Amino acid sequence: MDHFALNQGVLHAEDVPLPRIAQEVGTPVYVYSRATLTRHARVFAEALDGVPDKLVAFAVKANPNLAVLKVLASEGYGADVVSGGELMRALAAGIPAEKVVFSGVGKTRAELELGLEKGIGQFNIESREEGRELAELATALGKQAPATLRINPDVDAKTHEKISTGKAENKFGIPLVHAREAYAELAALEGLNLRGVAVHIGSQLLDLEPLETAFGKVGQLIADLRATGHTISHVDLGGGLGVPYKSGEVPPSPAEYGAMVARVTRDWGVHLTFEPGRVIAGNAGVLMTRVVRVKRGGNGPPFVIVDAAMNDLARPALYGAWHDFEAVEPTGERMTANIVGPICETGDTFARDRECDALQSGDLAIFRTAGAYGATMASSYNSRGFVAEVMVSGSDYAIVANRIPAMDIMSAEPIPEWLD
Ligand code: LLP
């Protein structure tokens, strides 16, 4: 459930009519609902009531906006970060360092050092090489790095190939066949407090079965590692739970996910970490756009050209992803359209042959489910600026990310003297 709904014929975010935001902040603009974020955070946490000892760490990559992180910090969430930049954002938003988990296959030396200096709660190590490097850095600082070993369970998560992470051919984690050996080597290093394993098989998962299979393999590995004398106290189960992008789509609920996790992990006797991203933020945000003009198609439906483009919301161009598209003030009339942005390539298409609200030049519309992997994946392609982000709270709203105009980006490009 979200808080973007029609009120007297006008789409509102909570109690704020969207046309007001469009008028005062301009378009395109991302609009987040604080009440929706809070609700999702609580629903997910409550779904894990059956798991006694846990940390829910929001996957910052899904939406790194500081205001968003602050809302989640106040719900007691930790942060799953994958770069020094995300780590600094989590801390700046008030998430305590001990609730920060550092994932990612390519953490640099500088990033590992930053994590150690800040005293983060856990490093999820993705290779022996990374483990050795972290141990060496920690020893030099007189510290021991709390860590888990991320394994690659070779499970098909049945999601888009670009967001699958747990198949043997994916770059993530250590293949299960090498896990025991790698664990033994790294557990013996003085600079590491290797205390368990981590797994994450992919994103936008619409079926719990692959997750359960992967968790089953983790359970087996825990038993094997314990049998060889290791103490396993922490397991990180990653994120991945999908959300409905298309009205009518019904992904597994957080409650179903929580019940499965509680059942599978009942006898593990460990502290569990979860790294949900999309399920928390996805439906807590929309991208509002204005129709620039409607242009007749060649032999197909008309092109509704909006002022948002693939640089602002990359998912349709990158993954062929579907985002529901609705008029902010629907008339009840419908049309079939190709919904496109102004960028000069055909990939800048949000939807083809889409049945949607009838729209004319100047009308406002939204792309739904843009709160996760939306603004954060923006670029300035075609010398377009970065769009503003707004958070609504009841009848208030505030700009939580300024629009960065194309001219500001240009001003960060010094011209060498020898070209002048
Ligand atoms: N933990 C790890 C280690 C991850 O790699 C990810 C996502 C998550 C947690 C959070 O997954 P979630 O709960 O959000 O599914 N840009 C793509 C999604 C990439 C996801 C990458 N990893 C998209 O727009 O669909």
Side-chain angles (χ1 to χ4, degrees):
M1 203 214 103
D2 62 59
H3 290 79
F4 298 94
L6 286 171
N7 183 348
Q8 297 188 341
V10 180
L11 260 179
H12 283 55
E14 303 188 22
D15 299 329
V16 179
L18 287 179
R20 194 176 128 205
I21 296 176
Q23 198 188 347
E24 291 170 8
V25 183
T27 55
V29 59
Y30 277 94
V31 182
Y32 307 131
S33 152
R34 178 187 180 182
T36 310
L37 266 177
T38 305
R39 186 189 130 76
H40 289 178
R42 290 184 188 166
V43 166
F44 191 85
E46 279 160 22
L48 294 171
D49 271 351
V51 175
D53 185 10
K54 61 181 172 277
L55 169 69
V56 187
F58 175 64
V60 172
K61 64 172 79 66
N63 191 325
N65 182 272
L66 284 177
V68 168
L69 297 183
K70 265 195 170 296
V71 170
L72 297 174
S74 70
E75 291 299 313
Y77 270 52
D80 164 47
V81 304
V82 292
S83 68
E86 285 192 356
L87 170 52
M88 295 310 288
R89 279 176 175 272
L91 298 180
I95 294 175
E98 60 272 18
K99 286 191 184 176
V100 174
V101 177
F102 204 155
S103 302
V105 70
K107 303 176 202 80
T108 63
R109 226 179 152 73
E111 286 174 325
L112 292 172
E113 262 170 347
L114 181 68
L116 286 167
E117 275 161 20
K118 298 294 179 191
I120 65 163
Q122 182 169 297
F123 293 84
N124 292 341
I125 297 171
E126 300 230 8
S127 63
R128 285 188 184 211
E129 294 79 356
E130 181 192 344
R132 289 181 202 134
E133 196 167 342
L134 178 61
E136 182 198 311
L137 290 169
T139 307
L141 289 169
K143 295 192 174 194
Q144 239 201 353
T148 66
L149 187 64
R150 178 168 174 184
I151 56 128
N152 182 324
D154 193 19
V155 169
D156 184 351
K158 296 191 217 147
T159 186
H160 192 281
E161 60 165 342
K162 288 188 186 165
I163 55 176
S164 156
T165 52
K167 285 199 273 187
E169 64 265 34
N170 300 143
K171 68 183 171 183
F172 301 97
I174 292 196
L176 258 183
V177 284
H178 302 143
R180 292 157 189 81
E181 216 187 328
Y183 202 96
E185 180 201 336
L186 298 180
L189 300 180
E190 207 188 305
L192 291 187
N193 171 18
L194 192 62
R195 55 191 197 181
V197 293
V199 70
H200 171 79
I201 61 169
S203 194
Q204 184 55 12
L205 308 188
L206 297 174
D207 184 354
L208 291 180
E209 193 257 338
L211 279 172
E212 185 164 349
T213 305
F215 297 167
K217 292 186 178 199
V218 168
Q220 184 58 50
L221 178 64
I222 297 173
D224 291 355
L225 292 171
R226 283 181 172 153
T228 50
H230 297 292
T231 304
I232 305 295
S233 59
H234 286 69
V235 173
D236 186 328
L237 294 180
L241 193 57
V243 300
Y245 276 96
K246 230 183 226 186
S247 34
E249 208 168 47
V250 188
S253 67
E256 288 165 320
Y257 171 83
M260 181 275 283
V261 168
R263 175 166 49 77
V264 175
T265 64
R266 192 182 307 126
D267 302 325
W268 289 7
V270 294
H271 170 96
L272 287 179
T273 301
F274 299 89
E275 303 172 351
R278 192 185 319 257
V279 72
I280 306 297
N283 281 307
V286 300
L287 172 62
M288 177 160 52
T289 185
R290 201 180 278 285
V291 177
V292 178
R293 64 181 62 86
V294 180
K295 171 180 159 170
R296 227 170 108 175
N299 48 11
F303 292 102
V304 170
I305 308 168
V306 296
D307 66 359
M310 65 190 282
N311 73 301
D312 306 312
L313 176 65
R315 303 193 68 260
L318 260 182
Y319 317 117
W322 175 292
H323 285 261
D324 277 348
F325 180 71
E326 290 165 28
V328 166
E329 295 177 78
T331 58
E333 274 176 62
R334 307 283 291 170
M335 74 191 294
T336 299
N338 291 321
I339 300 148
V340 300
I343 280 183
C344 295
E345 60 177 277
T346 302
D348 189 21
T349 298
F350 290 110
R352 227 177 282 282
D353 278 330
R354 177 77 68 90
E355 206 233 307
C356 62
D357 294 322
L359 287 161
Q360 296 179 0
S361 159
D363 287 350
L364 292 169
I366 58 162
F367 292 102
R368 281 191 181 262
T369 321
Y373 307 110
T376 186
M377 289 176 68
S379 78
S380 66
Y381 186 37
N382 273 210
S383 286
R384 292 165 54 86
F386 288 99
V387 307
E389 296 164 66
V390 157
M391 184 178 284
V392 172
S393 177
S395 53
D396 282 342
Y397 82 85
I399 292 177
V400 293
N402 293 327
R403 194 175 296 285
I404 302 182
M407 291 309 106
D408 287 10
I409 299 171
M410 188 173 83
S411 68
E413 292 172 26
I415 309 239
E417 252 172 45
W418 35 264
L419 278 183
D420 251 346

